[in-house]
Each structure stands twice: as structure tokens, then as C-alpha cells.
Amino acid sequence: MTAHVLMLSSSRQGDETYLEHARALIFAHLGEIRDLLFVPYAAVTQTYDSYVDAVATALPECKVTGLHSVEDPVAAVNNAKKNGQAIVVGGGNTFHLLSTLYANALIVPIKHAIADCTPYIGWSAGSNICGQSIRTTNDMPIIEPPSFDALDIVPFQLNPHYTDYQPPGHNGETRDQRLAEFTTLNPTTPVVAIREGTALRLTNNQLSLVGEKDGFIFLGEEKTPISSGDDLTYLLDSGE
């Protein structure tokens, strides 16, 4: 597989405006491409049209076409590379995103497009679906997709928006405890936790963490820190 994938943890960092922190990473990933086929299916409380408008406003250099607005979404995905487009999948609710992808028979076409080196950019939910499954999303399961199986572009789990902050007086489980629940039941499956403002970049069969903050790999009972610029290519063999 020759994938060219940027998996952003979030659309915002701190008080910055929408996609501001990600612009440099996005344009470096796109190269000369400025035509985006945008998948807005993670949106629930806003319309798909307004979501497309938000992305177009944040990336005015680009032409942004909502996948929901085309007559044949499968054909649009299949022809994205030929049409000089990158596939971009925004954040929101991961369960709603995956359910809608299944409903529109888009899982396999997107996987094939990525395998054929169609550039892919996702953030939050759009990154979460790049893993084996969505079982380590932070989102509420507001809808039940046919399966939790995702695109499986990388053979591990992702946890975007990772934080180890525990609010004073809060007695609910921490993120680490939630991820430990997963790794207890799935001790051989890594979970890569990435903080807001960072991303995983997969290109030329090389995987790395990019951004200014560290992340972590949860595997079994171990929590291993990873740093920006670290070569994580060995994780591409974790599913074998």
C-alpha cells in the first residue's frame, strides 16, 4: 500500500481559529493540490453545507466540494485522484461518521483510494477512522454503525484529543484509565494517543509524529512516550 495520510488530532489548538495550527501541515501534505473532496458526515448539530463552508473559510486557497453534494459519492471517491483531488474527512462524532460511510458504501472505495496514493487528510473523527476500529474514540455512541471496524489504514488504534489532565474534584475515569480498559482486553494492539496540535503523518511507507507536543503509545500495561519527529514506522508491522 502506498498511502499518503495526515491524521491530525484536532481542528483547533488552544484559542487559535479553526484549522489555523494545521494549515502548514495541510499544505505541506497537499503539495500542489488545492481541490478537496470533503467528507462532512461527522457533523450532527450543524448542517453538512455549513461544515463545508467552515472548511472553505479556513482554507480559502482551496476549492472544497462536499461529498454529500455530489450525485454519486462512490464515483467521486473513486475518481478523486484522477480529478486531482485530496480526500479530507472532518471531525465531529465518530460513530455518526462511520455509520454514514457504511450506509453510503464508502468504506472500501476510500480504502482503495488511499491505497492508490490519493492524498488523505483527517482530523479528530476523520483521523480516528484511519485505525483498525473506532473503539478508542472519545465520542458518545449516539448511533450504531454496522461495525466498529474502520479504514484500517494503520494497524493500530488512535486516540485523538489525548489529554492526561484531571480536573480537580472530578471522579470519573481519566483518559489513561479508559485506554487501559482497552489494552487490558486487547493487550497486543497498540493505541497511539496524540495531543491537540499534533498529527501522525504516513507517507512513503514512513510513519512519524509531527507537531510541538509529545504523545504516547499504550500497549498492554505499558505507556511509552513518543516525541515530535519520532520515527514510528515500526508500528506499521504491529498488525502482523
Side-chain angles (χ1 to χ4, degrees):
M1 181 177 71
T2 307
H4 186 53
V5 177
L6 181 66
M7 295 161 273
L8 296 154
S9 175
S10 59
S11 59
R12 287 186 173 89
Q13 175 179 232
D15 296 329
E16 295 180 2
T17 59
Y18 191 63
L19 293 177
E20 180 181 349
H21 81 278
R23 282 177 52 85
L25 291 174
I26 288 172
F27 287 116
H29 192 75
L30 289 174
E32 296 181 356
I33 294 175
R34 293 294 181 268
D35 197 343
L36 310 182
L37 184 62
F38 180 66
V39 182
Y41 299 151
V44 177
T45 57
Q46 67 174 322
T47 67
Y48 291 162
D49 285 342
S50 66
Y51 201 174
V52 171
D53 289 344
V55 175
T57 299
L59 303 173
E61 301 88 344
C62 297
K63 175 185 176 183
V64 184
T65 301
L67 186 60
H68 70 292
S69 67
V70 303
E71 183 175 350
D72 188 340
V74 171
V77 168
N78 288 337
N79 293 322
K81 182 179 179 181
K82 182 177 69 175
N83 292 334
Q85 294 177 305
I87 296 173
V88 179
V89 183
N93 186 278
T94 311
F95 292 91
H96 192 266
L97 169 60
L98 189 63
S99 180
T100 310
L101 290 176
Y102 272 111
N104 287 280
L106 286 164
I107 297 292
V108 172
I110 292 176
K111 291 179 67 169
H112 286 171
I114 293 172
D116 194 33
C117 208
T118 303
Y120 178 101
I121 298 172
W123 53 85
S124 190
S127 295
N128 221 311
I129 61 170
C130 291
Q132 289 183 330
S133 78
I134 64 167
R135 289 177 294 159
T136 50
T137 179
N138 307 310
D139 299 335
M140 185 174 289
I142 60 173
I143 191 171
E144 184 177 0
S147 171
F148 290 159
D149 291 345
L151 297 177
D152 198 22
I153 302 305
V154 290
F156 51 80
Q157 295 288 128
L158 280 84
N159 183 245
H161 297 280
Y162 172 77
T163 178
D164 46 14
Y165 174 71
Q166 177 73 350
H170 179 70
N171 296 307
E173 288 84 351
T174 65
R175 184 71 58 82
D176 283 22
Q177 288 172 323
R178 289 299 193 197
L179 295 178
E181 291 174 344
F182 177 87
T183 56
T184 296
L185 296 180
N186 304 271
T188 63
T189 302
V191 182
V192 181
I194 52 177
R195 297 185 188 274
E196 293 184 348
T198 67
L200 294 176
R201 180 170 57 202
L202 173 63
T203 191
N204 295 323
N205 296 313
Q206 300 289 312
L207 179 71
S208 60
L209 176 68
V210 294
E212 299 179 353
K213 302 174 185 175
D214 294 344
F216 294 94
I217 297 173
F218 292 79
L219 180 63
E221 298 181 355
E222 301 295 323
K223 177 185 178 181
T224 304
I226 53 176
S227 300
S228 178
D230 279 359
D231 185 356
L232 305 176
T233 304
Y234 67 92
L235 288 173
L236 300 179
D237 297 325
S238 60
E240 295 181 357

